[in-house]
Coordinates of all heavy atoms in Angstrom, one line a residue:
A1469 N -5.6 -25.8 1.8 CA -5.6 -25.2 3.1 C -5.4 -23.7 3.0 O -4.7 -23.2 2.1 CB -4.6 -25.8 4.0
F1470 N -5.9 -22.9 4.0 CA -5.6 -21.5 4.1 C -4.2 -21.4 4.6 O -4.0 -21.7 5.8 CB -6.6 -20.8 5.0 CG -6.4 -19.4 5.2 CD1 -6.8 -18.4 4.3 CD2 -5.8 -18.9 6.4 CE1 -6.5 -17.1 4.4 CE2 -5.5 -17.5 6.6 CZ -5.9 -16.6 5.6
A1471 N -3.3 -20.9 3.8 CA -1.9 -20.9 4.2 C -1.5 -19.6 4.9 O -0.4 -19.6 5.6 CB -1.0 -21.0 2.9
G1472 N -2.3 -18.6 4.9 CA -2.0 -17.4 5.5 C -2.2 -16.2 4.5 O -2.8 -16.4 3.5
G1473 N -1.6 -15.1 4.8 CA -1.8 -14.0 3.9 C -1.0 -12.7 4.3 O -0.1 -12.8 5.1
I1474 N -1.5 -11.6 3.7 CA -0.8 -10.3 3.9 C -1.9 -9.3 4.1 O -3.0 -9.3 3.5 CB 0.0 -10.0 2.6 CG1 1.1 -11.0 2.4 CG2 0.5 -8.5 2.7 CD1 1.7 -10.9 1.0
I1475 N -1.7 -8.4 5.1 CA -2.6 -7.3 5.3 C -1.8 -6.0 5.2 O -0.8 -5.8 5.9 CB -3.2 -7.4 6.7 CG1 -4.0 -8.7 6.9 CG2 -4.2 -6.2 7.0 CD1 -4.5 -8.9 8.3
A1476 N -2.3 -5.1 4.4 CA -1.6 -3.8 4.2 C -2.7 -2.7 4.1 O -3.9 -2.9 3.9 CB -0.8 -3.8 2.9
P1477 N -2.3 -1.4 4.3 CA -3.3 -0.3 4.2 C -3.9 -0.3 2.8 O -3.2 -0.5 1.8 CB -2.4 0.9 4.5 CG -1.2 0.5 5.2 CD -0.9 -0.9 4.7
G1478 N -5.2 0.0 2.7 CA -5.8 0.1 1.5 C -5.5 1.4 0.8 O -4.9 2.3 1.4
V1479 N -5.8 1.5 -0.5 CA -5.4 2.6 -1.3 C -6.0 3.9 -0.8 O -5.3 5.0 -0.7 CB -5.6 2.4 -2.8 CG1 -7.1 2.2 -3.1 CG2 -5.0 3.5 -3.7
A1480 N -7.3 3.9 -0.5 CA -7.9 5.1 0.0 C -7.4 5.5 1.4 O -7.2 6.7 1.7 CB -9.4 4.9 0.1
L1481 N -7.1 4.6 2.2 CA -6.5 4.8 3.5 C -5.1 5.5 3.4 O -4.8 6.4 4.1 CB -6.4 3.6 4.3 CG -5.8 3.7 5.7 CD1 -6.6 4.6 6.6 CD2 -5.8 2.3 6.4
G1482 N -4.4 5.0 2.4 CA -3.1 5.6 2.2 C -3.1 7.0 1.7 O -2.4 7.9 2.2
A1483 N -4.1 7.3 0.8 CA -4.3 8.7 0.4 C -4.7 9.6 1.5 O -4.2 10.7 1.6 CB -5.3 8.7 -0.8
R1484 N -5.6 9.1 2.3 CA -6.1 10.0 3.5 C -4.9 10.2 4.5 O -4.8 11.3 5.0 CB -7.3 9.3 4.2 CG -8.5 9.3 3.3 CD -9.8 9.1 4.2 NE -9.7 7.8 4.8 CZ -10.2 6.7 4.2 NH1 -10.8 6.8 3.0 NH2 -10.2 5.5 4.8
S1485 N -4.1 9.2 4.7 CA -3.0 9.4 5.6 C -2.0 10.4 5.1 O -1.5 11.2 5.9 CB -2.3 8.0 5.7 OG -3.1 7.1 6.3
L1486 N -1.7 10.5 3.8 CA -0.9 11.5 3.2 C -1.4 12.9 3.5 O -0.7 13.8 3.9 CB -0.7 11.3 1.7 CG 0.4 10.4 1.2 CD1 0.3 10.3 -0.4 CD2 1.7 10.9 1.6
T1487 N -2.7 13.0 3.2 CA -3.3 14.4 3.4 C -3.3 14.8 4.8 O -3.1 15.9 5.2 CB -4.8 14.3 2.8 OG1 -4.7 14.0 1.4 CG2 -5.5 15.7 3.0
A1488 N -3.6 13.8 5.7 CA -3.6 14.1 7.2 C -2.3 14.5 7.7 O -2.2 15.3 8.6 CB -4.3 13.0 7.9
A1489 N -1.2 13.8 7.2 CA 0.1 14.0 7.8 C 0.9 15.2 7.2 O 1.8 15.7 7.9 CB 0.9 12.7 7.6
A1490 N 0.5 15.6 6.0 CA 1.3 16.6 5.3 C 0.3 17.8 5.0 O -0.6 17.6 4.2 CB 2.0 16.1 4.1
A1491 N 0.5 18.9 5.7 CA -0.4 20.0 5.6 C -0.6 20.6 4.2 O -1.7 21.0 3.8 CB 0.0 21.2 6.5
R1492 N 0.4 20.5 3.3 CA 0.3 21.1 2.0 C -0.2 20.1 0.9 O -0.4 20.5 -0.2 CB 1.6 21.6 1.6 CG 2.1 22.8 2.5 CD 3.4 23.4 1.9 NE 3.1 24.0 0.6 CZ 4.1 24.6 -0.2 NH1 5.3 24.6 0.3 NH2 3.8 25.2 -1.3
L1493 N -0.4 18.8 1.3 CA -0.9 17.9 0.3 C -2.4 17.8 0.3 O -3.1 17.7 1.4 CB -0.3 16.5 0.7 CG 1.2 16.3 0.5 CD1 1.6 14.9 0.8 CD2 1.7 16.8 -0.9
P1494 N -3.0 17.9 -0.8 CA -4.5 18.0 -0.9 C -5.1 16.6 -1.0 O -4.4 15.6 -1.1 CB -4.7 18.7 -2.3 CG -3.6 18.2 -3.1 CD -2.4 18.1 -2.2
M1495 N -6.4 16.5 -0.8 CA -7.1 15.3 -1.1 C -7.2 15.1 -2.6 O -7.2 16.1 -3.3 CB -8.6 15.3 -0.5 CG -8.6 15.3 1.0 SD -10.3 15.1 1.6 CE -11.1 16.6 1.0
I1496 N -7.1 13.8 -3.0 CA -7.0 13.6 -4.4 C -8.1 12.6 -4.8 O -8.6 11.8 -4.0 CB -5.7 13.0 -4.9 CG1 -5.4 11.7 -4.1 CG2 -4.6 14.0 -4.7 CD1 -4.1 10.9 -4.6
E1497 N -8.4 12.6 -6.1 CA -9.3 11.6 -6.7 C -8.4 10.4 -7.0 O -7.3 10.5 -7.6 CB -10.0 12.1 -8.0 CG -11.0 11.1 -8.5 CD -11.7 11.7 -9.8 OE1 -11.4 12.8 -10.1 OE2 -12.6 11.0 -10.3
L1498 N -8.9 9.2 -6.6 CA -8.0 8.0 -6.8 C -8.2 7.5 -8.2 O -9.0 6.6 -8.5 CB -8.4 7.0 -5.8 CG -8.0 7.3 -4.4 CD1 -8.4 6.2 -3.4 CD2 -6.5 7.6 -4.3
R1499 N -7.4 8.0 -9.1 CA -7.4 7.5 -10.5 C -5.9 7.5 -11.0 O -5.1 8.2 -10.5 CB -8.2 8.4 -11.4 CG -7.6 9.8 -11.6 CD -8.3 10.6 -12.7 NE -9.7 10.8 -12.5 CZ -10.7 10.8 -13.4 NH1 -10.3 10.5 -14.6 NH2 -11.9 11.0 -13.1
A1500 N -5.6 6.6 -11.9 CA -4.3 6.5 -12.4 C -3.9 7.7 -13.2 O -4.7 8.0 -14.1 CB -4.1 5.2 -13.1
P1501 N -2.8 8.3 -13.0 CA -2.4 9.4 -13.9 C -1.9 8.9 -15.2 O -1.7 7.7 -15.4 CB -1.2 10.0 -13.1 CG -0.6 8.9 -12.3 CD -1.8 8.0 -12.0
E1502 N -1.7 9.8 -16.2 CA -1.3 9.5 -17.5 C 0.1 9.0 -17.6 O 0.5 8.3 -18.5 CB -1.6 10.6 -18.5 CG -3.1 11.0 -18.7 CD -3.3 12.1 -19.6 OE1 -2.3 12.7 -20.1 OE2 -4.4 12.5 -19.9
R1503 N 0.9 9.5 -16.7 CA 2.4 9.2 -16.7 C 2.8 9.0 -15.2 O 2.2 9.5 -14.3 CB 3.2 10.2 -17.4 CG 3.0 11.6 -16.8 CD 3.8 12.7 -17.5 NE 3.4 12.8 -18.9 CZ 2.4 13.5 -19.3 NH1 1.7 14.2 -18.4 NH2 2.1 13.6 -20.6
V1504 N 3.9 8.2 -15.1 CA 4.4 7.9 -13.7 C 5.0 9.2 -13.1 O 4.8 9.4 -11.9 CB 5.5 6.8 -13.8 CG1 6.1 6.6 -12.4 CG2 4.8 5.5 -14.3
I1505 N 5.7 9.9 -13.9 CA 6.4 11.1 -13.3 C 5.4 12.3 -13.3 O 5.0 12.8 -14.4 CB 7.6 11.5 -14.2 CG1 8.6 10.4 -14.2 CG2 8.3 12.8 -13.6 CD1 9.8 10.6 -15.2
G1506 N 4.9 12.6 -12.1 CA 3.8 13.6 -12.0 C 4.3 15.0 -12.3 O 5.5 15.4 -11.8

């Protein structure tokens, strides 16, 4: 049976929200960086 699930913002939507909400944050290419600590 379909037991249910989870709905969350997608990765591209999350990135666009960051850029839209914070004036100094740029648009980014969605790729994994080489290290966690940017």
Side-chain angles (χ1 to χ4, degrees):
F1470 178 80
I1474 298 163
I1475 302 174
V1479 63
L1481 180 58
R1484 290 196 296 271
S1485 297
L1486 270 181
T1487 302
R1492 297 189 62 184
L1493 295 183
M1495 290 189 296
I1496 59 169
E1497 185 177 1
L1498 292 181
R1499 65 169 65 215
E1502 294 181 358
R1503 56 182 61 86
V1504 175
I1505 302 173

